[in-house]
Amino acid sequence: MVNAKHLATFILGAAAGVALNKYFQTEEGEKALADLKVKAGQFKDEAEQAIDKAPEYFEKLKTEVSATLKDNFPDAEVFLQELFGKTKAANNPATEEPKA
């Protein structure tokens, strides 16, 4: 159901589109559009670099967290292995060793 509010929103959006189109046809608008394209390209390059560096960053983070845990909580590794070992065995009873 289209009501007056939706119709007004559509008309305002269309008017804004027409105004932007007219603005981008001026010399100043063309310069602004060119600047926008340059900035978009720079942003894309930065995003691609961040994606390329993400695996290295997370590997470094994992190593640093592991070292910090070992330094500050020496029993944490044993605790986590026991915890996850019990959880793994509970989720997959076929892998449990038979009790004597």
Side-chain angles (χ1 to χ4, degrees):
M1 180 173 163
V2 177
N3 61 26
K5 192 175 188 181
H6 292 122
L7 188 57
T9 302
F10 175 77
I11 291 171
L12 286 174
V18 169
L20 276 174
N21 185 39
K22 291 222 178 252
Y23 172 72
F24 285 136
Q25 290 178 359
T26 65
E27 186 177 326
E28 185 179 331
E30 288 177 4
K31 184 178 183 303
L33 190 57
D35 290 344
L36 186 61
K37 286 180 182 179
V38 168
K39 289 183 190 233
Q42 290 171 345
F43 180 71
K44 178 185 170 222
D45 292 343
E46 289 175 13
E48 287 173 347
Q49 289 174 1
I51 289 171
D52 291 342
K53 291 180 182 179
E56 292 174 23
Y57 171 76
F58 285 113
E59 187 62 35
K60 181 180 175 185
L61 184 63
K62 182 177 97 174
T63 303
E64 290 176 0
V65 168
S66 177
T68 301
L69 280 175
K70 286 179 183 178
D71 291 345
N72 296 316
F73 305 101
D75 298 332
E77 186 174 6
V78 173
F79 172 77
L80 291 173
Q81 287 176 348
E82 289 175 358
L83 176 68
F84 289 121
K86 289 178 185 176
T87 302
K88 188 176 183 182
N91 289 336
N92 192 0
T95 61
E96 281 188 36
E97 293 182 21
K99 296 180 182 174

